[in-house]
Amino acid sequence: MKVGDAIAEIMKREGIEVLTGYPVNHMIEHCAAIDIRPVMVRQERIGLHMADAISRVTSARKLGAFCMQHGPGAENAYGGVAQCFGESVPVLVLPMGYPRRIAHVPPNYNSTVQMKGIAKSTEAVMSAAEVPNIMRRAFARLRNGRGGPVIVEIPTDMFQEEMPENWSYTPVLTVRSAPDPADVKRAAEMLVNAKRPVIYAGTGIHWAQAWPQLRELAELLAAPVTTSLGGKSSFPEDHALALGSGGLAMPHPVRKFLDDADVVFGVGCSFTETNFGIKMPVGPKYIHATLDPDHLDKDIRCDIGLLGDAQLVLQALLDELRGHIRTPRPHAPVQAAIEALRTPWLAKWAEKRDSNDAPLNPYRVLRDLWRTVDPDQTIITHDAGSPRDQLSPFWISRTPLSYLGWGKTTQLGYGLGLAMGAKLAAPDKLCINVWGDAAIGFTGMDFETAVRERIPILSILLNNFSMAIELKIMALSTEKYRTTDISGNYADMAKAFGGYGERVLTPDQIIPAIERGIAQTRNGVPALLEFITSKETQVSRF
């Protein structure tokens, strides 16, 4: 057996079903030979985004994998790998490498060297006999601890090397860790004695599938819950104790309850300081539950640290708290306080969300989108910039992993690949990406990939012919040189690629167009709906 065949066989034993990529990389053929589906993209970054979503939507029970050519292919892929690293997403990345004799000779791009700063680990295949060990280390890192991309570079002269006749491979273990019982006891006592506790849930809730435990803890304590963008949908946002998610934009209750809290319990989160996350207040005590010890005291000083899998952390806390709280505390006072903030906040935004203007207000488009789809059978993701900030505060996610949020690094065009990968992982769901006319300029060609690879997503494009959020900071250059202007008819582009495209100009056509787009996806056709919108720049910031 050749090295390429052995690597493909190991991938299959580890449960990988899809390999996204771009040629030339011989793993495409080796994987196709044993029915791992290869999906070819138009640019490397999209392939990584698709693999990213496969891991996200399955809580890494199935892993995404991506391969690319050596040299320019690996160079082009760097941004996608960095996005996975920033969001802690486990993805197997298989770059081809230069022949071993010149792998470290400049200017040849060496992925094991150049990607070391944006990967959980990097390793090159230099010996056929070592393939099982190299792949075992890769999958062990993918399946254990905090997620991240793992790079296994395969030099071009390794694929046809012969494997030892007696080689073997057994899928790796997945293990979980739990916190020190003494720390759990201290955390439980702090939460019991807190007057105004708030729970801040991150993406780790999704990876651990700790949704029931999170809900049970919140209900036991009558503690309001907010989430990071990555943690959005880990707690039902129609629940009496839900504050909503927070990023650069957020619902009013999120900011008010955090600022008034005496204890903030962050679980499955890193508390990373970012312009696209919630700024944590200075006053409260902090309990930080994380899988990664490097996160403790990184950006927020914590009073108690709980190291371990989010589900095991929450379960340990629940077991300890039951000795202090016999029955769930009443929710009504907290619910009333939340509604006292949410109701006037929504009223303030009603003018935009109910707008009958043309060009369309993007808030009206997104309001009608939520009302038209079945949110519980939908997976939606935003893009960077205005689509993220206009969607996340108002979209009510009620079921786990129905919203793929992100925000530590914010590459334009990320959402399209996420939606396509989500559809591959969850074909029965309606998978939607919401983006703007800036983002489509980065990755729009890959709508053709959705058509060609039969991935029927619904793409919602908000087109205001402008980089609207840059208007204030680029006023002079815009006036003199029109630097923020963008143009294009993207519905026609979708049609040219063989998909369904429709341009929507008036409010009365928003819902009918969405219904037509959904119908197309049910028939197996990707649909792109281009809504001509105003240059709306106001977001819900506090």
Side-chain angles (χ1 to χ4, degrees), residues 213-496:
Q213 291 81 7
L214 174 62
R215 181 169 181 161
E216 187 177 352
L217 180 70
E219 291 176 345
L220 184 66
L221 294 169
V225 179
T226 184
T227 72
S228 65
L229 287 173
K232 188 175 172 73
S233 79
S234 63
F235 189 80
E237 292 182 321
D238 60 347
H239 192 283
L241 296 171
L243 299 173
S245 66
L248 184 147
M250 67 190 76
H252 188 198
V254 173
R255 184 73 274 156
K256 178 64 173 171
F257 270 80
L258 279 171
D259 288 345
D260 290 348
D262 59 346
V263 173
V264 175
F265 172 40
V267 55
C269 69
S270 63
F271 281 129
T272 295
E273 183 178 344
T274 166
N275 289 334
F276 309 102
I278 302 172
K279 182 176 176 59
M280 290 294 158
V282 174
K285 299 283 189 182
Y286 282 91
I287 303 169
H288 190 181
T290 176
L291 195 57
D292 189 344
D294 288 345
H295 286 160
L296 293 175
D297 284 332
K298 178 172 72 78
D299 294 309
I300 293 289
R301 195 193 75 78
C302 68
D303 297 274
I304 299 172
L306 301 173
L307 276 176
D309 172 85
Q311 188 181 90
L312 296 181
V313 167
L314 290 169
Q315 192 58 60
L317 268 176
L318 285 165
D319 292 343
E320 183 67 31
L321 284 167
R322 289 192 188 101
H324 299 272
I325 306 172
R326 300 299 181 187
T327 58
R329 290 172 171 173
H331 299 175
V334 179
Q335 181 180 6
I338 294 172
E339 289 304 318
L341 296 167
R342 180 182 285 127
T343 299
W345 169 71
L346 287 172
K348 176 184 175 182
W349 284 89
E351 181 180 357
K352 294 182 184 295
R353 301 183 73 224
D354 300 339
S355 171
N356 286 313
D357 292 345
L360 304 168
N361 191 295
Y363 287 102
R364 168 67 187 272
V365 175
L366 298 174
R367 185 207 73 172
D368 284 358
L369 179 65
W370 191 87
R371 292 181 178 181
T372 307
V373 305
D374 178 353
D376 300 337
Q377 294 301 316
T378 296
I379 300 174
I380 191 168
T381 189
H382 54 255
D383 218 288
S386 296
R388 172 196 61 230
D389 302 329
Q390 292 164 353
L391 179 69
S392 61
F394 299 101
W395 189 272
I396 302 171
S397 299
R398 303 185 299 211
T399 53
L401 294 167
S402 59
Y403 191 104
L404 301 183
W406 44 280
K408 292 189 183 71
T409 180
T410 56
Q411 298 171 12
L412 282 164
Y414 187 21
L416 176 65
L418 285 182
M420 289 196 287
K423 189 66 176 177
L424 289 172
D428 295 335
K429 301 285 188 179
L430 173 64
C431 296
I432 304 173
N433 74 298
V434 178
W435 52 350
D437 46 343
I440 198 171
F442 281 76
T443 57
M445 284 295 293
D446 269 284
F447 189 81
E448 185 273 337
T449 299
V451 175
R452 172 173 35 85
E453 293 285 355
R454 305 172 304 283
I455 307 172
I457 62 166
L458 178 61
S459 192
I460 302 295
L461 178 69
L462 306 174
N463 185 2
N464 58 17
F465 302 102
S466 173
M467 303 181 204
I469 57 176
E470 278 77 34
L471 283 170
K472 287 184 179 179
I473 61 172
M474 296 172 64
L476 177 61
S477 61
T478 297
E479 181 182 354
K480 292 179 68 175
Y481 301 109
R482 310 310 308 166
T483 52
T484 57
D485 291 356
I486 308 175
S487 64
N489 188 317
Y490 305 106
D492 283 355
M493 181 197 78
K495 294 174 189 176

Side-chain angles (χ1 to χ4, degrees), residues 57 61 69 92 106 123 169 190 215 259 272 308 406 438 486 525:
V57 168
R61 274 46 176 186
Q69 185 179 341
L92 177 64
E123 189 167 0
Y169 184 85
M190 184 177 284
R215 181 169 181 161
D259 288 345
T272 295
W406 44 280
I486 308 175
V525 178

